[in-house]
Amino acid sequence: LPKKQSDIGPLLEQVGTGKESLSFMKRRMRRLAAQWASAAPRLDDKLRGRWREQKRILVHIGFLTEESGDVFSPKVLKGGPLGEMVQWADILTAFHVLGHDVKISVSLKELHGFLGVPPGRGSCPLTGPLPFDLIYTDYHGLRQMKHHMGLSLRKHKCHIRVIDTFGTEPAYNHEEYATRHGYRTNWGYWNLHGQQYMTMFPHTPDNSFMGFVAEELNETERLFIQRDKVNNMAVVYGKDASMWKGKENILAILYRYMEIHGTVYYETQRPPEVPAFVKNHGLLPQHELQQLLRKAKLFVGFGFPYEGPAPLEAIANGCIFLQPKFNPPHSSLNHEFFRGKPTSRKVSSQHPYAEQHIGRPHVITVDFNNSEEFDATIREIMKLNVEPFLPYEYTCEGIILIWASNVSSLSSWPPLSALRLLSSQQGQSCVEACWTEGLICEPAFYRFINIKEAFSALDFQCEGLESEMNHLFPAFSAEHAECSLQHDPLLFSCAGSSSKYQRLCPCRDFRKGQVALCRDCL
Ligand code: UDP
């Protein structure tokens, strides 16, 4: 059994120095170590020995390597994206605190060192056994590992986990299928198992949910927050001036009712996008942002960035999160940001998780182009009283439970008793079909419903029965009364829809605030 390591000193030493990204991560790791350490023992009973075996885990953060260009590190203090660093910091701290043997690599040199490539033979592929049980990396890191491990990567593939914020759908992951059917992207088609991709929010059930945590409050802090809330204080979500562009109208309406704060990075002068009536604090260190959120009543998103950690932090500190609805939804078909990403997901608002899994009164999603509606919403918010709220899956305890079921290979997970077979409407994905019934699509169950009998169970009369490679199968085509089974398990996919097919969907129930787990899962 691993000894839990609440002293994170040795881990911090491994992270290294000399880059703002690494300093940002270390500050966060230091701040949250105690929170992780106190959560772990509370779970000992629940986990009953699961995930207690010590794993050797390599964490290779590809996007921070010089070799991939490291575009993020120089922007850490300038309003660049921080979400990924939040997530990696949390992964490292949690694995260490839980007693695993963690090695960290942020350069090719370190990667080679850990993978046992002899010095001076930089491109020599790894031979022999892999010295790790698990390797957590990202798409950049995956490419680097392929380059340096060559063919042996294939042999070790099942040990790899890819941190992939926005997710990768099976149609894009399957090399042959992607190539033949137009799903090839620059991110690659790695033929991994869908569950090896780990997302930041539970938006793509074909992938696993990795998450991150928000700082948790004790009772005293909750009381202080409620006492100190300033009813007419709003903070705008947007650390880069470009996120404020074209929002004059919205800001003017908001300013009728509230004082507006911002944390926009600037060099010497106020950026022109940020009006003079906004109290701009400049980019704040994370803990100072928390303090600001504790006082504010409202946190307003302007549509970008998508699905970041900040709204959860705001809600956890008792703010209402007000965000724009996207109509039509943003996707790789119509928005530059998602173009070329290996997903067809339609994003219905700036933060779909906040919209769908948290909702009112903590989250209010409206059309920002409708000035009257926006105005009325602000007036409504002035009257609302909201308490701090953090979904269980974003607490240390909640997330350890989920990771425990990911990291330990529980063969009978989730239990088959949770399966609910449904058919989708034409044009509907299984994600949507399950969700309308208050359920979640569970790709692990596809193998049980990819059988002829599933069609009769749903009262579909099959004139013909075929088995093909198609990420929408198993499915029923009403036009030809044709029943189609899935030929390649790698293509089992909750995502994807077509007006031609009613798909067969393996759904399951879920715990409120912990979507990755079914009710009887642990
Ligand atoms: N953040 C910060 N200072 C600020 C604004 C944001 O430290 O002035 C942190 C915030 O606490 C959050 C992280 O930046 O954890 C990521 O924020 P965001 O939701 O904007 O996502 P991103 O686009 O950076 O990934």
Side-chain angles (χ1 to χ4, degrees), residues 24 28 80-84 86 237 239 243 263 282-286 289-290 305 308-311 313:
F24 175 87
R28 180 173 177 85
L82 299 172
E84 273 89 350
V86 165
Y237 179 20
K239 38 187 154 48
M243 298 164 185
T263 63
L283 190 74
L284 291 177
Q286 264 198 321
L289 176 68
Q290 305 286 324
E313 295 165 3

Side-chain angles (χ1 to χ4, degrees), residues 89-357:
D90 291 357
I91 289 169
L92 288 170
T93 321
F95 286 175
H96 176 84
V97 168
L98 288 163
H100 296 294
D101 175 11
V102 184
K103 296 283 182 289
I104 306 168
S105 141
V106 289
S107 72
L108 277 189
K109 195 164 153 245
E110 288 162 309
L111 180 69
H112 294 179
F114 287 129
L115 291 181
V117 180
R121 296 174 60 198
S123 58
C124 174
L126 175 80
T127 49
L130 192 68
F132 294 97
D133 301 307
L134 286 165
I135 299 179
Y136 283 78
T137 189
D138 54 17
Y139 266 122
H140 296 282
L142 197 55
R143 238 177 258 149
Q144 295 168 341
M145 284 169 48
K146 173 163 183 198
H147 191 237
H148 291 275
M149 289 166 80
L151 284 179
S152 73
L153 179 73
R154 199 179 293 172
K155 197 169 86 197
H156 299 300
K157 223 160 61 174
C158 64
H159 300 281
I160 295 173
R161 303 290 178 270
V162 183
I163 300 295
D164 172 17
T165 310
F166 294 97
T168 295
E169 293 173 4
Y172 298 79
N173 167 61
H174 190 293
E175 179 174 11
E176 182 191 341
Y177 189 75
T179 307
R180 277 212 240 141
H181 300 276
Y183 293 104
R184 270 174 79 136
T185 66
N186 287 335
W187 300 99
Y189 17 85
W190 291 88
N191 285 321
L192 298 179
H193 191 288
Q195 299 284 313
Q196 286 176 266
Y197 297 100
M198 328 270 311
T199 58
M200 195 146 169
F201 289 92
H203 48 57
T204 302
D206 294 311
N207 303 147
S208 301
F209 167 62
M210 192 78 202
F212 59 93
V213 293
E215 279 166 67
E216 292 164 41
L217 306 171
N218 60 32
E219 271 316 305
T220 328
E221 286 167 326
R222 285 181 80 93
L223 285 175
F224 281 149
I225 286 182
Q226 268 151 327
R227 193 194 64 192
D228 297 342
K229 275 281 170 211
V230 181
N231 195 46
N232 67 342
M233 172 176 170
V235 176
V236 170
Y237 179 20
K239 38 187 154 48
D240 189 86
S242 64
M243 298 164 185
W244 293 60
K245 218 168 156 190
K247 306 297 172 197
E248 299 81 3
N249 186 26
I250 296 283
L251 284 163
I253 299 173
L254 185 58
Y255 189 58
R256 284 181 206 154
Y257 306 97
M258 300 185 115
E259 67 177 54
I260 306 176
H261 295 246
T263 63
V264 189
Y265 164 75
Y266 63 95
E267 232 139 65
T268 46
Q269 275 175 353
R270 168 183 292 270
E273 293 87 349
V274 181
F277 57 75
V278 172
K279 181 160 177 17
N280 186 21
H281 302 260
L283 190 74
L284 291 177
Q286 264 198 321
H287 69 275
E288 284 181 36
L289 176 68
Q290 305 286 324
Q291 298 310 320
L292 194 66
L293 293 172
R294 283 177 185 201
K295 285 173 76 184
K297 172 76 179 281
L298 176 65
F299 191 58
V300 199
F302 282 165
F304 194 83
Y306 299 106
E307 299 184 309
L312 285 198
E313 295 165 3
I315 298 161
N317 284 301
C319 297
I320 292 171
F321 176 49
L322 175 62
Q323 61 158 351
K325 183 159 211 59
F326 297 152
N327 193 10
H330 295 184
S331 74
S332 49
L333 295 178
N334 65 9
H335 261 259
E336 204 42 54
F337 181 85
F338 288 105
R339 190 156 295 150
K341 289 207 166 48
T343 175
S344 64
R345 190 161 63 97
K346 298 187 186 84
V347 176
S348 56
S349 59
Q350 180 171 10
H351 208 299
Y353 174 84
E355 179 191 3
Q356 291 159 13
H357 293 263

Side-chain angles (χ1 to χ4, degrees), residues 4-5 8 11 29 32-33 36-37 40 51 57 87-100 102 210 213 396 399-400 403:
K4 296 195 189 76
Q5 309 165 41
I8 65 159
L11 184 71
M29 290 162 75
L32 286 160
W36 284 109
W51 203 27
I57 304 179
Q87 199 180 20
W88 284 109
D90 291 357
I91 289 169
L92 288 170
T93 321
F95 286 175
H96 176 84
V97 168
L98 288 163
H100 296 294
V102 184
M210 192 78 202
V213 293
C396 293
I399 219 154
I400 292 171
W403 291 357

Side-chain angles (χ1 to χ4, degrees), residues 57-103:
I57 304 179
L58 172 63
V59 176
H60 175 59
I61 313 179
F63 81 97
L64 292 182
T65 61
E66 291 303 324
E67 291 81 2
S68 80
D70 188 16
V71 289
F72 282 5
S73 295
K75 291 193 197 153
V76 166
L77 297 179
K78 300 187 174 182
L82 299 172
E84 273 89 350
M85 289 162 220
V86 165
Q87 199 180 20
W88 284 109
D90 291 357
I91 289 169
L92 288 170
T93 321
F95 286 175
H96 176 84
V97 168
L98 288 163
H100 296 294
D101 175 11
V102 184
K103 296 283 182 289

